[in-house]
Amino acid sequence: MKTYELMCVFNTKENCYPEGVQAVKDKLKAAGAVIEKEDDMGDRNLAYMLGKETRGHYHLFTFQSAADIFTKLDEQLKLQSQIMRHLIVCKKSRPVKPPRPARHRAAAHKAAAEEA
């Protein structure tokens, strides 16, 4: 099972945020996903207008799931009237690269000291 992130933008004027979040949780659990973390990111300005809306309430779900549920889950989220937009992405962890050796900085510092 891989880790995924689901970002949902809910309509703010209809005050449908709490029931929309609960509907998304129910859909994730019904699809067999395990929700690891939720982040309520609050009301924010949208990058562009969606219909006549300029603001949305953002909520981020982090969950683990098999890859075969996304077609069905995407179709179900499109039918939710509370959700203006949603996006599911795979969260990959990147290995941390070790820092570069300090020889370049030391050589430049030594050359500057010799000139002075």
Side-chain angles (χ1 to χ4, degrees):
M1 292 178 77
K2 290 186 177 182
T3 303
Y4 299 93
E5 289 183 341
L6 166 64
M7 173 65 76
C8 294
V9 181
F10 296 95
N11 195 339
T12 57
K13 291 188 178 176
E14 296 175 11
N15 199 14
C16 56
Y17 169 72
E19 57 194 42
V21 169
Q22 188 59 42
V24 172
K25 285 183 194 178
D26 293 341
K27 299 227 182 286
L28 285 172
K29 289 179 183 176
V34 178
I35 299 174
E36 292 180 347
K37 188 170 104 174
E38 293 182 49
D39 288 328
D40 179 9
M41 302 178 80
D43 288 351
R44 296 179 180 214
N45 289 331
L46 299 173
Y48 53 89
M49 288 183 66
L50 295 175
K52 295 182 180 181
E53 301 295 326
T54 58
R55 293 187 60 80
H57 194 104
Y58 286 72
H59 197 90
L60 178 69
F61 296 91
T62 304
F63 63 96
Q64 287 190 351
S65 175
D68 59 348
I69 70 163
F70 293 112
T71 305
K72 183 179 176 184
L73 183 63
D74 188 47
E75 292 294 325
Q76 291 176 351
L77 292 175
K78 284 180 184 177
L79 297 175
Q80 289 293 110
S81 62
Q82 301 97 346
I83 300 175
M84 295 182 351
R85 290 284 190 267
H86 70 277
L87 178 67
I88 303 171
V89 295
C90 182
K91 186 177 179 182
K92 293 184 180 180
S93 60
R94 295 183 178 176
V96 178
K97 292 182 180 179
R100 297 179 89 184
R103 65 176 185 227
H104 299 295
R105 287 181 252 148
H109 182 65
K110 185 178 179 182
E114 289 175 0
E115 290 178 9

